[in-house]
């Protein structure tokens, strides 16, 4: 009986967690047709899987991970972690670093607006009941007042990494690992379901790629550096000094008949 009660406490409320998905599934089922019925069944199963993974994470003891993940989750609030990374890249990365930092910052802004003003408003999923699911208190971070779907933390992190990675692929890979860890921390601390962070990550990756590509197309072509212009001028002067291919010396070099093409008849 005690075990049954504990299981009941740890299972998130299906009504709170999957109301929007359930409504969509019911709408598809009412319209009829084998394709819609399969889609409705798939939505219900994905919702059940989403809640089951959340419950498993909440019930698994991870004392060595709890505090680092809680701190990381808080560090990414309001994109603070990514803005700090952009500042460091702009200071230490030279011209290329500054361009990447601007691109990443713009990607964060566009993605945040898309997620918070459009997607969250259209899909009103309630936040998890982490107390009922048994999330340990020492994992807790502040529960946001916005709706749960999708995760803004995941979207911003992947948007920043995708934009940075367009010109600096290895740095983009490292930032994606960090963004994935931040995304998982939102489930670990109990403020998001796994489905929230998966969709948020996909939105962020796509938006970051789109923003970076658009900025590349709109930016003017970069002028060569001063050292590059000097090198090009020196090469041009050397070519002029050697003369054009296929000619013999002209009057300036002692030929009384002037410059003539090599191999021409006398």
């Amino acid at each position: 009986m005690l075990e049954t009660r504990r299981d009941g406490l740890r299972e998130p409320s299906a009504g709170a967690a999957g109301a929007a998905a359930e409504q969509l599934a019911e709408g598809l089922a009412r319209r009829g047709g084998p394709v819609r019925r399969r889609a409705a069944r798939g939505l219900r199963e994905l919702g059940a899987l989403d809640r089951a993974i959340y419950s498993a994470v909440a019930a698994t003891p991870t004392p060595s991970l709890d505090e680092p993940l809680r701190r990381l989750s808080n560090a990414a609030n309001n994109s603070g972690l990514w803005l700090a990374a952009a500042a460091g890249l702009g200071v230490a990365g030279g011209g290329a670093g500054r361009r990447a930092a601007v691109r990443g910052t713009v990607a964060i802004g566009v993605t945040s607006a898309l997620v918070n003003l459009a997607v969250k408003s259209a899909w009103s999923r309630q936040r998890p009941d982490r107390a009922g699911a048994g999330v340990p208190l020492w994992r807790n971070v502040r529960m946001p007042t916005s709706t749960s779907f999708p995760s803004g933390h995941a979207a911003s992190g992947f948007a920043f990494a995708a934009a940075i990675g367009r010109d600096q692929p290895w740095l983009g890979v490292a930032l994606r690992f960090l963004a994935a860890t931040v995304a998982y921390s939102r489930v670990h601390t109990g403020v998001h379901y796994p489905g929230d962070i998966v969709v948020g990550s996909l939105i962020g990756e796509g938006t970051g790629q789109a923003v970076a590509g658009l900025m590349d197309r709109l930016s003017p072509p970069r002028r060569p550096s001063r050292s590059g212009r000097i090198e090009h001028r020196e090469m041009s002067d050397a070519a002029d000094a050697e003369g054009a291919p296929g000619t013999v010396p002209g009057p300036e070099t002692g030929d009384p008949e002037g410059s003539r093409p090599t191999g021409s008849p006398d």
Side-chain angles (χ1 to χ4, degrees), residues 89-114:
L89 187 59
V91 171
R98 287 190 291 273
R99 287 190 297 272
V102 170
R103 188 184 292 118
T105 303
V106 173
I108 289 174
V110 173
T111 304
S112 297
L114 175 63

Side-chain angles (χ1 to χ4, degrees), residues 70 74 130-131 135-142 188-191:
R70 187 184 69 81
N74 282 329
R130 61 183 173 189
V135 177
L137 291 176
W138 53 86
R139 291 187 191 177
N140 285 6
V141 297
R142 183 183 61 83
H188 195 85
T189 56
V191 297

Side-chain angles (χ1 to χ4, degrees), residues 1-13 55 129 131-134:
M1 181 176 179
L2 180 61
E3 187 67 28
T4 302
R5 183 180 179 184
R6 183 181 303 166
D7 291 343
L9 286 174
R10 290 180 181 274
E11 180 66 25
S13 169
S55 297
D129 178 14

Side-chain angles (χ1 to χ4, degrees), residues 10-23 43-44 46-55 123-130 133 147-149 190-196:
R10 290 180 181 274
E11 180 66 25
S13 169
E22 185 65 27
Q23 290 174 5
L43 279 173
R44 292 190 179 99
L46 285 174
L49 180 62
D50 199 27
R51 296 189 295 274
I53 295 173
Y54 179 89
S55 297
W123 196 281
S124 299
R125 187 184 198 186
Q126 295 184 36
R127 293 279 174 174
D129 178 14
R130 61 183 173 189
T147 55
S148 186
F149 181 88
V191 297
H192 274 294
Y193 293 100
D196 301 339

Side-chain angles (χ1 to χ4, degrees), residues 80-233:
L81 177 64
W82 313 117
L83 295 177
L89 187 59
V91 171
R98 287 190 291 273
R99 287 190 297 272
V102 170
R103 188 184 292 118
T105 303
V106 173
I108 289 174
V110 173
T111 304
S112 297
L114 175 63
V115 168
N116 293 313
L117 299 179
V119 184
K120 282 182 179 286
S121 299
W123 196 281
S124 299
R125 187 184 198 186
Q126 295 184 36
R127 293 279 174 174
D129 178 14
R130 61 183 173 189
V135 177
L137 291 176
W138 53 86
R139 291 187 191 177
N140 285 6
V141 297
R142 183 183 61 83
M143 180 67 77
T145 57
S146 61
T147 55
S148 186
F149 181 88
S151 167
H153 281 63
S156 296
F158 274 89
F160 181 75
I164 295 295
R166 188 174 182 88
D167 283 342
Q168 304 186 39
W170 288 109
L171 181 57
V173 170
L175 287 171
R176 283 182 177 89
F177 275 111
L178 182 58
T181 307
V182 169
Y184 170 74
S185 75
R186 304 300 285 173
V187 178
H188 195 85
T189 56
V191 297
H192 274 294
Y193 293 100
D196 301 339
I197 68 168
V198 170
V199 175
S201 300
L202 294 174
I203 291 174
E205 179 72 24
T207 307
Q209 293 281 2
V211 168
L214 181 61
M215 291 184 69
D216 283 347
R217 286 193 294 270
L218 294 178
S219 61
R222 294 193 291 270
R223 297 177 60 187
S225 64
R226 178 178 177 83
S227 60
R229 292 197 300 270
I230 293 173
E231 182 180 355
H232 178 72
R233 187 180 304 118

